[in-house]
Short mmCIF file of all heavy atoms in Angstrom, two decimals:
data_model
loop_
_atom_site.label_atom_id
_atom_site.label_comp_id
_atom_site.label_asym_id
_atom_site.label_seq_id
_atom_site.Cartn_x
_atom_site.Cartn_y
_atom_site.Cartn_z
N MET Z 6 100.13 107.23 88.26
CA MET Z 6 99.58 108.33 87.50
C MET Z 6 98.50 109.01 88.32
O MET Z 6 97.82 108.38 89.12
CB MET Z 6 98.96 107.81 86.21
CG MET Z 6 99.98 107.54 85.14
SD MET Z 6 99.20 107.24 83.60
CE MET Z 6 99.01 105.49 83.68
N ARG Z 7 98.36 110.27 88.06
CA ARG Z 7 97.36 111.07 88.75
C ARG Z 7 96.42 111.68 87.67
O ARG Z 7 96.90 112.15 86.63
CB ARG Z 7 98.07 112.18 89.50
CG ARG Z 7 97.24 112.91 90.43
CD ARG Z 7 98.07 113.90 91.24
NE ARG Z 7 99.40 114.07 90.64
CZ ARG Z 7 100.31 114.88 91.11
NH1 ARG Z 7 100.08 115.56 92.19
NH2 ARG Z 7 101.47 115.01 90.51
N VAL Z 8 95.12 111.65 87.90
CA VAL Z 8 94.16 112.16 86.92
C VAL Z 8 93.29 113.21 87.60
O VAL Z 8 92.84 112.99 88.73
CB VAL Z 8 93.28 111.01 86.40
CG1 VAL Z 8 92.22 111.56 85.45
CG2 VAL Z 8 94.12 109.95 85.74
N VAL Z 9 93.10 114.31 86.89
CA VAL Z 9 92.20 115.36 87.36
C VAL Z 9 91.24 115.69 86.22
O VAL Z 9 91.68 115.93 85.10
CB VAL Z 9 92.99 116.64 87.76
CG1 VAL Z 9 92.04 117.74 88.13
CG2 VAL Z 9 93.96 116.33 88.87
N VAL Z 10 89.96 115.69 86.51
CA VAL Z 10 88.93 116.01 85.50
C VAL Z 10 88.56 117.48 85.68
O VAL Z 10 88.15 117.91 86.74
CB VAL Z 10 87.69 115.10 85.63
CG1 VAL Z 10 86.61 115.51 84.67
CG2 VAL Z 10 88.09 113.64 85.49
N ASP Z 11 88.67 118.22 84.60
CA ASP Z 11 88.29 119.64 84.60
C ASP Z 11 86.98 119.76 83.88
O ASP Z 11 86.91 119.88 82.65
CB ASP Z 11 89.37 120.48 83.92
CG ASP Z 11 89.10 121.97 84.03
OD1 ASP Z 11 88.05 122.36 84.58
OD2 ASP Z 11 89.95 122.75 83.56
N ASP Z 12 85.88 119.73 84.63
CA ASP Z 12 84.56 119.80 84.05
C ASP Z 12 83.88 121.16 84.35
O ASP Z 12 82.65 121.22 84.37
CB ASP Z 12 83.69 118.64 84.47
CG ASP Z 12 83.51 118.57 85.99
OD1 ASP Z 12 84.15 119.34 86.71
OD2 ASP Z 12 82.69 117.74 86.41
N ARG Z 13 84.70 122.17 84.56
CA ARG Z 13 84.14 123.48 84.83
C ARG Z 13 83.38 123.99 83.63
O ARG Z 13 83.58 123.57 82.50
CB ARG Z 13 85.24 124.50 85.16
CG ARG Z 13 85.99 124.18 86.45
CD ARG Z 13 87.12 125.14 86.66
NE ARG Z 13 88.11 124.95 85.59
CZ ARG Z 13 88.91 125.89 85.14
NH1 ARG Z 13 88.87 127.11 85.65
NH2 ARG Z 13 89.76 125.69 84.18
N ASN Z 14 82.54 124.99 83.88
CA ASN Z 14 81.71 125.56 82.82
C ASN Z 14 82.51 126.70 82.19
O ASN Z 14 82.07 127.83 82.14
CB ASN Z 14 80.42 126.07 83.40
CG ASN Z 14 79.39 126.36 82.32
OD1 ASN Z 14 79.53 125.93 81.19
ND2 ASN Z 14 78.38 127.13 82.65
N GLU Z 15 83.70 126.39 81.66
CA GLU Z 15 84.57 127.35 80.95
C GLU Z 15 84.72 126.86 79.51
O GLU Z 15 84.47 125.69 79.24
CB GLU Z 15 85.95 127.43 81.63
CG GLU Z 15 85.95 127.91 83.05
CD GLU Z 15 85.68 129.39 83.20
OE1 GLU Z 15 85.78 130.11 82.17
OE2 GLU Z 15 85.37 129.83 84.30
N SER Z 16 85.20 127.73 78.66
CA SER Z 16 85.42 127.30 77.27
C SER Z 16 86.56 126.29 77.22
O SER Z 16 87.45 126.28 78.08
CB SER Z 16 85.75 128.50 76.40
OG SER Z 16 87.04 128.99 76.71
N LEU Z 17 86.52 125.44 76.20
CA LEU Z 17 87.53 124.41 76.06
C LEU Z 17 88.91 125.04 75.86
O LEU Z 17 89.90 124.58 76.47
CB LEU Z 17 87.19 123.51 74.86
CG LEU Z 17 88.16 122.38 74.57
CD1 LEU Z 17 88.24 121.43 75.78
CD2 LEU Z 17 87.73 121.65 73.34
N SER Z 18 89.00 126.08 75.07
CA SER Z 18 90.31 126.68 74.84
C SER Z 18 90.87 127.28 76.14
O SER Z 18 92.09 127.23 76.35
CB SER Z 18 90.21 127.76 73.77
OG SER Z 18 89.31 128.78 74.14
N LYS Z 19 90.04 127.83 76.98
CA LYS Z 19 90.52 128.38 78.26
C LYS Z 19 91.04 127.25 79.15
O LYS Z 19 92.07 127.41 79.80
CB LYS Z 19 89.41 129.14 78.96
CG LYS Z 19 89.88 129.80 80.25
CD LYS Z 19 88.82 130.65 80.88
CE LYS Z 19 89.35 131.31 82.15
NZ LYS Z 19 88.40 132.17 82.75
N ARG Z 20 90.35 126.12 79.21
CA ARG Z 20 90.79 125.01 80.03
C ARG Z 20 92.10 124.42 79.50
O ARG Z 20 92.98 124.06 80.29
CB ARG Z 20 89.70 123.95 80.14
CG ARG Z 20 88.50 124.43 80.96
CD ARG Z 20 87.47 123.36 81.11
NE ARG Z 20 86.68 123.34 79.89
CZ ARG Z 20 85.76 122.46 79.59
NH1 ARG Z 20 85.53 121.46 80.41
NH2 ARG Z 20 85.05 122.55 78.51
N ILE Z 21 92.24 124.34 78.18
CA ILE Z 21 93.49 123.82 77.59
C ILE Z 21 94.64 124.80 77.88
O ILE Z 21 95.72 124.38 78.27
CB ILE Z 21 93.32 123.63 76.06
CG1 ILE Z 21 92.39 122.42 75.83
CG2 ILE Z 21 94.67 123.42 75.39
CD1 ILE Z 21 92.02 122.23 74.37
N ARG Z 22 94.40 126.09 77.75
CA ARG Z 22 95.44 127.08 78.05
C ARG Z 22 95.88 127.02 79.47
O ARG Z 22 97.06 127.05 79.77
CB ARG Z 22 94.87 128.47 77.70
CG ARG Z 22 95.87 129.59 77.76
CD ARG Z 22 95.35 130.93 77.21
NE ARG Z 22 94.03 131.27 77.67
CZ ARG Z 22 92.91 131.22 76.96
NH1 ARG Z 22 92.95 130.82 75.69
NH2 ARG Z 22 91.74 131.57 77.46
N GLU Z 23 94.90 126.92 80.43
CA GLU Z 23 95.25 126.82 81.84
C GLU Z 23 96.06 125.57 82.13
O GLU Z 23 97.00 125.59 82.94
CB GLU Z 23 94.00 126.90 82.70
CG GLU Z 23 93.38 128.27 82.75
CD GLU Z 23 92.10 128.31 83.58
OE1 GLU Z 23 91.72 127.28 84.16
OE2 GLU Z 23 91.51 129.39 83.61
N ALA Z 24 95.71 124.47 81.51
CA ALA Z 24 96.47 123.22 81.74
C ALA Z 24 97.87 123.33 81.20
O ALA Z 24 98.82 122.84 81.81
CB ALA Z 24 95.72 122.05 81.05
N SER Z 25 98.04 124.07 80.11
CA SER Z 25 99.38 124.29 79.56
C SER Z 25 100.20 125.14 80.51
O SER Z 25 101.40 124.87 80.72
CB SER Z 25 99.28 124.97 78.22
OG SER Z 25 98.70 124.12 77.27
N VAL Z 26 99.60 126.15 81.09
CA VAL Z 26 100.31 127.04 82.03
C VAL Z 26 100.74 126.25 83.26
O VAL Z 26 101.80 126.45 83.80
CB VAL Z 26 99.43 128.24 82.40
CG1 VAL Z 26 99.99 129.01 83.56
CG2 VAL Z 26 99.27 129.15 81.21
N LYS Z 27 99.88 125.32 83.68
CA LYS Z 27 100.19 124.48 84.86
C LYS Z 27 101.14 123.32 84.54
O LYS Z 27 101.48 122.53 85.39
CB LYS Z 27 98.88 123.89 85.45
CG LYS Z 27 97.97 124.93 86.05
CD LYS Z 27 96.71 124.29 86.60
CE LYS Z 27 95.79 125.31 87.18
NZ LYS Z 27 94.54 124.66 87.65
N LYS Z 28 101.55 123.26 83.26
CA LYS Z 28 102.47 122.22 82.80
C LYS Z 28 101.97 120.80 82.99
O LYS Z 28 102.70 119.89 83.39
CB LYS Z 28 103.86 122.38 83.43
CG LYS Z 28 104.47 123.75 83.10
CD LYS Z 28 105.82 123.87 83.68
CE LYS Z 28 106.40 125.27 83.31
NZ LYS Z 28 107.70 125.48 83.87
N ILE Z 29 100.69 120.59 82.72
CA ILE Z 29 100.08 119.27 82.80
C ILE Z 29 100.66 118.45 81.65
O ILE Z 29 100.56 118.87 80.49
CB ILE Z 29 98.54 119.34 82.68
CG1 ILE Z 29 97.95 120.30 83.71
CG2 ILE Z 29 97.93 117.97 82.75
CD1 ILE Z 29 98.08 119.85 85.14
N PRO Z 30 101.29 117.29 81.90
CA PRO Z 30 101.96 116.53 80.82
C PRO Z 30 101.03 116.06 79.72
O PRO Z 30 101.32 116.22 78.54
CB PRO Z 30 102.57 115.35 81.54
CG PRO Z 30 102.60 115.69 82.97
CD PRO Z 30 101.49 116.68 83.20
N TYR Z 31 99.90 115.47 80.07
CA TYR Z 31 98.94 114.97 79.08
C TYR Z 31 97.58 115.62 79.32
O TYR Z 31 97.11 115.68 80.46
CB TYR Z 31 98.75 113.45 79.21
CG TYR Z 31 99.83 112.64 78.59
CD1 TYR Z 31 100.97 112.29 79.31
CD2 TYR Z 31 99.75 112.23 77.26
CE1 TYR Z 31 101.98 111.54 78.72
CE2 TYR Z 31 100.74 111.46 76.68
CZ TYR Z 31 101.85 111.12 77.42
OH TYR Z 31 102.84 110.39 76.85
N GLN Z 32 96.96 116.09 78.25
CA GLN Z 32 95.62 116.62 78.31
C GLN Z 32 94.75 115.75 77.39
O GLN Z 32 95.09 115.60 76.21
CB GLN Z 32 95.59 118.08 77.87
CG GLN Z 32 96.43 118.98 78.67
CD GLN Z 32 96.55 120.35 78.05
OE1 GLN Z 32 95.63 120.81 77.39
NE2 GLN Z 32 97.70 120.95 78.19
N LEU Z 33 93.70 115.19 77.93
CA LEU Z 33 92.81 114.38 77.14
C LEU Z 33 91.49 115.12 76.97
O LEU Z 33 90.92 115.56 77.98
CB LEU Z 33 92.55 113.01 77.79
CG LEU Z 33 93.77 112.19 78.15
CD1 LEU Z 33 93.36 110.92 78.84
CD2 LEU Z 33 94.62 111.91 76.93
N VAL Z 34 91.02 115.23 75.73
CA VAL Z 34 89.75 115.90 75.49
C VAL Z 34 88.76 114.83 75.05
O VAL Z 34 89.02 114.09 74.09
CB VAL Z 34 89.90 116.98 74.36
CG1 VAL Z 34 88.56 117.61 74.09
CG2 VAL Z 34 90.95 118.02 74.81
N VAL Z 35 87.65 114.75 75.74
CA VAL Z 35 86.63 113.79 75.45
C VAL Z 35 85.30 114.54 75.29
O VAL Z 35 84.77 115.09 76.25
CB VAL Z 35 86.48 112.72 76.53
CG1 VAL Z 35 85.40 111.72 76.15
CG2 VAL Z 35 87.81 112.02 76.76
N GLY Z 36 84.81 114.60 74.07
CA GLY Z 36 83.56 115.25 73.76
C GLY Z 36 82.60 114.26 73.12
O GLY Z 36 82.84 113.05 73.12
N ASP Z 37 81.54 114.80 72.54
CA ASP Z 37 80.54 113.92 71.90
C ASP Z 37 81.12 113.12 70.75
O ASP Z 37 80.85 111.93 70.63
CB ASP Z 37 79.36 114.77 71.37
CG ASP Z 37 78.54 115.42 72.50
OD1 ASP Z 37 78.59 114.87 73.62
OD2 ASP Z 37 77.92 116.45 72.26
N LYS Z 38 81.98 113.74 69.93
CA LYS Z 38 82.58 113.07 68.79
C LYS Z 38 83.47 111.91 69.29
O LYS Z 38 83.45 110.81 68.73
CB LYS Z 38 83.39 114.05 67.97
CG LYS Z 38 83.98 113.46 66.71
CD LYS Z 38 84.61 114.55 65.87
CE LYS Z 38 86.09 114.57 66.19
NZ LYS Z 38 86.85 115.50 65.32
N GLU Z 39 84.24 112.16 70.35
CA GLU Z 39 85.12 111.14 70.89
C GLU Z 39 84.33 110.00 71.50
O GLU Z 39 84.73 108.82 71.41
CB GLU Z 39 86.08 111.76 71.91
CG GLU Z 39 87.17 112.62 71.33
CD GLU Z 39 86.70 114.05 71.02
OE1 GLU Z 39 85.61 114.43 71.45
OE2 GLU Z 39 87.43 114.74 70.33
N LEU Z 40 83.22 110.31 72.15
CA LEU Z 40 82.38 109.26 72.71
C LEU Z 40 81.83 108.34 71.64
O LEU Z 40 81.79 107.13 71.82
CB LEU Z 40 81.23 109.85 73.53
CG LEU Z 40 81.57 110.46 74.85
CD1 LEU Z 40 80.37 111.13 75.51
CD2 LEU Z 40 82.16 109.42 75.81
N GLU Z 41 81.45 108.91 70.51
CA GLU Z 41 80.90 108.11 69.41
C GLU Z 41 81.96 107.17 68.84
O GLU Z 41 81.67 106.02 68.52
CB GLU Z 41 80.36 109.01 68.30
CG GLU Z 41 79.07 109.70 68.65
CD GLU Z 41 78.63 110.64 67.55
OE1 GLU Z 41 79.13 110.55 66.41
OE2 GLU Z 41 77.76 111.48 67.81
N THR Z 42 83.21 107.66 68.67
CA THR Z 42 84.25 106.87 68.07
C THR Z 42 85.08 106.08 69.06
O THR Z 42 85.94 105.29 68.70
CB THR Z 42 85.19 107.78 67.28
OG1 THR Z 42 85.80 108.72 68.16
CG2 THR Z 42 84.50 108.49 66.15
N LYS Z 43 84.81 106.30 70.37
CA LYS Z 43 85.52 105.63 71.48
C LYS Z 43 87.02 105.93 71.42
O LYS Z 43 87.86 105.05 71.63
CB LYS Z 43 85.22 104.13 71.47
CG LYS Z 43 83.77 103.84 71.70
CD LYS Z 43 83.52 102.45 72.04
CE LYS Z 43 81.98 102.26 72.03
NZ LYS Z 43 81.43 101.61 73.08
N ASN Z 44 87.33 107.16 71.08
CA ASN Z 44 88.72 107.66 71.05
C ASN Z 44 88.84 108.83 72.01
O ASN Z 44 87.84 109.34 72.54
CB ASN Z 44 89.08 108.11 69.63
CG ASN Z 44 89.28 106.99 68.67
OD1 ASN Z 44 89.50 105.83 69.09
ND2 ASN Z 44 89.23 107.26 67.38
N VAL Z 45 90.07 109.30 72.17
CA VAL Z 45 90.32 110.52 72.94
C VAL Z 45 91.26 111.38 72.12
O VAL Z 45 92.11 110.91 71.38
CB VAL Z 45 90.94 110.22 74.33
CG1 VAL Z 45 89.95 109.57 75.23
CG2 VAL Z 45 92.22 109.42 74.23
N SER Z 46 91.10 112.69 72.25
CA SER Z 46 92.05 113.63 71.65
C SER Z 46 93.12 113.91 72.67
O SER Z 46 92.85 114.25 73.80
CB SER Z 46 91.33 114.93 71.24
OG SER Z 46 90.41 114.69 70.23
N VAL Z 47 94.37 113.80 72.25
CA VAL Z 47 95.51 113.87 73.19
C VAL Z 47 96.36 115.07 72.83
O VAL Z 47 96.69 115.30 71.68
CB VAL Z 47 96.35 112.58 73.14
CG1 VAL Z 47 97.48 112.65 74.12
CG2 VAL Z 47 95.50 111.36 73.36
N ARG Z 48 96.72 115.83 73.87
CA ARG Z 48 97.63 116.98 73.73
C ARG Z 48 98.76 116.78 74.74
O ARG Z 48 98.53 116.36 75.87
CB ARG Z 48 96.91 118.28 74.01
CG ARG Z 48 95.78 118.57 73.08
CD ARG Z 48 95.13 119.89 73.40
NE ARG Z 48 96.05 120.99 73.32
CZ ARG Z 48 96.31 121.71 72.21
NH1 ARG Z 48 95.72 121.39 71.11
NH2 ARG Z 48 97.14 122.70 72.25
N LEU Z 49 99.98 117.06 74.32
CA LEU Z 49 101.15 116.96 75.20
C LEU Z 49 101.63 118.35 75.58
O LEU Z 49 101.63 119.26 74.70
CB LEU Z 49 102.30 116.24 74.52
CG LEU Z 49 102.18 114.73 74.34
CD1 LEU Z 49 103.39 114.24 73.59
CD2 LEU Z 49 102.03 114.08 75.67
N HIS Z 50 102.09 118.53 76.80
CA HIS Z 50 102.71 119.78 77.18
C HIS Z 50 104.00 119.92 76.41
O HIS Z 50 104.88 119.05 76.46
CB HIS Z 50 102.96 119.79 78.71
CG HIS Z 50 103.74 121.02 79.11
ND1 HIS Z 50 103.16 122.26 79.11
CD2 HIS Z 50 105.01 121.20 79.48
CE1 HIS Z 50 104.05 123.14 79.50
NE2 HIS Z 50 105.23 122.52 79.72
N GLY Z 51 104.13 120.97 75.68
CA GLY Z 51 105.33 121.24 74.90
C GLY Z 51 105.43 120.44 73.63
O GLY Z 51 106.33 120.65 72.84
N GLY Z 52 104.52 119.50 73.41
CA GLY Z 52 104.60 118.65 72.23
C GLY Z 52 103.45 118.88 71.28
O GLY Z 52 103.44 118.33 70.20
N GLY Z 53 102.48 119.68 71.68
CA GLY Z 53 101.36 119.97 70.81
C GLY Z 53 100.32 118.87 70.78
O GLY Z 53 100.23 118.02 71.64
N ASP Z 54 99.54 118.92 69.72
CA ASP Z 54 98.36 118.04 69.57
C ASP Z 54 98.81 116.73 68.92
O ASP Z 54 99.38 116.73 67.84
CB ASP Z 54 97.35 118.74 68.71
CG ASP Z 54 96.02 118.03 68.67
OD1 ASP Z 54 95.83 117.06 69.41
OD2 ASP Z 54 95.11 118.50 67.90
N LEU Z 55 98.55 115.62 69.60
CA LEU Z 55 98.80 114.28 69.01
C LEU Z 55 97.61 113.78 68.19
O LEU Z 55 97.74 112.73 67.54
CB LEU Z 55 99.12 113.29 70.12
CG LEU Z 55 100.41 113.49 70.90
CD1 LEU Z 55 100.57 112.39 71.94
CD2 LEU Z 55 101.60 113.53 69.99
N GLY Z 56 96.50 114.46 68.28
CA GLY Z 56 95.34 114.04 67.54
C GLY Z 56 94.54 112.99 68.29
O GLY Z 56 94.72 112.77 69.47
N SER Z 57 93.68 112.33 67.55
CA SER Z 57 92.80 111.34 68.13
C SER Z 57 93.45 109.98 68.15
O SER Z 57 94.11 109.60 67.17
CB SER Z 57 91.50 111.31 67.33
OG SER Z 57 90.55 110.43 67.91
N MET Z 58 93.28 109.27 69.25
CA MET Z 58 93.80 107.89 69.35
C MET Z 58 92.89 107.06 70.19
O MET Z 58 92.12 107.60 71.00
CB MET Z 58 95.24 107.85 69.87
CG MET Z 58 95.44 108.32 71.27
SD MET Z 58 97.12 108.08 71.89
CE MET Z 58 98.09 109.00 70.73
N SER Z 59 92.96 105.77 69.99
CA SER Z 59 92.12 104.88 70.77
C SER Z 59 92.58 104.84 72.23
O SER Z 59 93.75 105.16 72.51
CB SER Z 59 92.18 103.45 70.20
OG SER Z 59 93.46 102.90 70.41
N VAL Z 60 91.70 104.47 73.10
CA VAL Z 60 92.05 104.38 74.50
C VAL Z 60 93.15 103.34 74.70
O VAL Z 60 94.10 103.54 75.45
CB VAL Z 60 90.78 104.06 75.37
CG1 VAL Z 60 91.15 103.82 76.80
CG2 VAL Z 60 89.77 105.16 75.22
N ALA Z 61 93.04 102.20 73.98
CA ALA Z 61 94.05 101.16 74.10
C ALA Z 61 95.43 101.69 73.62
O ALA Z 61 96.44 101.39 74.24
CB ALA Z 61 93.66 99.93 73.28
N GLY Z 62 95.43 102.45 72.56
CA GLY Z 62 96.66 103.03 72.05
C GLY Z 62 97.29 104.00 73.05
O GLY Z 62 98.50 104.02 73.22
N LEU Z 63 96.46 104.77 73.70
CA LEU Z 63 96.95 105.72 74.72
C LEU Z 63 97.53 104.96 75.91
O LEU Z 63 98.61 105.32 76.40
CB LEU Z 63 95.82 106.61 75.18
CG LEU Z 63 96.20 107.60 76.30
CD1 LEU Z 63 97.28 108.55 75.89
CD2 LEU Z 63 94.95 108.33 76.80
N ILE Z 64 96.83 103.95 76.36
CA ILE Z 64 97.31 103.14 77.49
C ILE Z 64 98.66 102.51 77.16
O ILE Z 64 99.59 102.55 77.95
CB ILE Z 64 96.29 102.06 77.91
CG1 ILE Z 64 95.06 102.76 78.52
CG2 ILE Z 64 96.88 101.05 78.88
CD1 ILE Z 64 93.91 101.85 78.77
N GLU Z 65 98.81 101.98 75.95
CA GLU Z 65 100.08 101.40 75.54
C GLU Z 65 101.19 102.45 75.53
O GLU Z 65 102.29 102.18 75.98
CB GLU Z 65 99.89 100.83 74.13
CG GLU Z 65 101.11 100.10 73.58
CD GLU Z 65 100.85 99.50 72.22
OE1 GLU Z 65 99.80 98.87 72.05
OE2 GLU Z 65 101.70 99.69 71.35
N ARG Z 66 100.88 103.63 75.05
CA ARG Z 66 101.88 104.71 75.02
C ARG Z 66 102.32 105.09 76.44
O ARG Z 66 103.51 105.29 76.71
CB ARG Z 66 101.28 105.92 74.29
CG ARG Z 66 102.22 107.10 74.24
CD ARG Z 66 101.55 108.30 73.58
NE ARG Z 66 102.40 109.42 73.64
CZ ARG Z 66 103.15 109.88 72.63
NH1 ARG Z 66 103.11 109.26 71.48
NH2 ARG Z 66 103.91 110.93 72.78
N LEU Z 67 101.34 105.21 77.34
CA LEU Z 67 101.67 105.60 78.72
C LEU Z 67 102.47 104.49 79.42
O LEU Z 67 103.39 104.78 80.15
CB LEU Z 67 100.37 105.88 79.48
CG LEU Z 67 99.59 107.12 79.07
CD1 LEU Z 67 98.28 107.17 79.80
CD2 LEU Z 67 100.42 108.38 79.30
N GLN Z 68 102.10 103.23 79.19
CA GLN Z 68 102.85 102.13 79.79
C GLN Z 68 104.29 102.10 79.28
O GLN Z 68 105.21 101.89 80.05
CB GLN Z 68 102.17 100.79 79.50
CG GLN Z 68 100.90 100.58 80.26
CD GLN Z 68 100.16 99.34 79.85
OE1 GLN Z 68 100.30 98.84 78.74
NE2 GLN Z 68 99.37 98.79 80.78
N GLN Z 69 104.49 102.37 78.01
CA GLN Z 69 105.83 102.40 77.41
C GLN Z 69 106.62 103.53 78.02
O GLN Z 69 107.82 103.39 78.32
CB GLN Z 69 105.78 102.51 75.92
CG GLN Z 69 107.15 102.36 75.26
CD GLN Z 69 107.79 101.02 75.56
OE1 GLN Z 69 107.16 99.99 75.40
NE2 GLN Z 69 109.04 101.05 75.96
N GLN Z 70 106.00 104.68 78.22
CA GLN Z 70 106.67 105.82 78.82
C GLN Z 70 107.10 105.51 80.26
O GLN Z 70 108.19 105.90 80.66
CB GLN Z 70 105.78 107.04 78.79
CG GLN Z 70 106.46 108.29 79.26
CD GLN Z 70 105.58 109.53 79.16
OE1 GLN Z 70 104.41 109.43 78.89
NE2 GLN Z 70 106.17 110.66 79.40
N ILE Z 71 106.28 104.79 81.00
CA ILE Z 71 106.62 104.41 82.37
C ILE Z 71 107.79 103.47 82.37
O ILE Z 71 108.74 103.64 83.17
CB ILE Z 71 105.39 103.79 83.09
CG1 ILE Z 71 104.33 104.87 83.33
CG2 ILE Z 71 105.79 103.13 84.39
CD1 ILE Z 71 102.97 104.33 83.77
N VAL Z 72 107.82 102.47 81.45
CA VAL Z 72 108.91 101.53 81.38
C VAL Z 72 110.23 102.25 81.01
O VAL Z 72 111.25 101.99 81.59
CB VAL Z 72 108.57 100.42 80.34
CG1 VAL Z 72 109.82 99.59 80.01
CG2 VAL Z 72 107.47 99.52 80.87
N ASP Z 73 110.14 103.16 80.05
CA ASP Z 73 111.33 103.89 79.61
C ASP Z 73 111.89 104.81 80.71
O ASP Z 73 113.09 105.05 80.75
CB ASP Z 73 111.00 104.75 78.36
CG ASP Z 73 110.72 103.91 77.15
OD1 ASP Z 73 111.06 102.69 77.15
OD2 ASP Z 73 110.16 104.45 76.19
N LYS Z 74 111.04 105.23 81.58
CA LYS Z 74 111.45 106.16 82.66
C LYS Z 74 112.21 105.46 83.74
O LYS Z 74 113.02 106.06 84.46
CB LYS Z 74 110.22 106.89 83.24
CG LYS Z 74 110.56 108.11 83.99
CD LYS Z 74 109.32 108.91 84.30
CE LYS Z 74 109.71 110.27 84.80
NZ LYS Z 74 108.55 111.12 84.91
N LYS Z 75 111.96 104.17 83.95
CA LYS Z 75 112.60 103.42 85.04
C LYS Z 75 114.05 103.20 84.78
O LYS Z 75 114.76 103.13 84.06
CB LYS Z 75 111.89 102.06 85.23
CG LYS Z 75 110.56 102.23 85.87
CD LYS Z 75 109.94 100.89 86.12
CE LYS Z 75 108.58 101.05 86.78
NZ LYS Z 75 107.93 99.81 87.03
#
């Protein structure tokens, strides 16, 4: 897996839109609310918003996707 952090001083909607144009498969949004709950907001390219999920739940989903791809 490859990870890129987009911490530019741009609006969140602009960064999400640019990631969609670049066809980034997973977009994780981590803000103050997510830090408090120890969750991440997950968006899929072409799949829309998956909502908030725990980090462990996300890791499990990614691992399952890797196994299914083999």
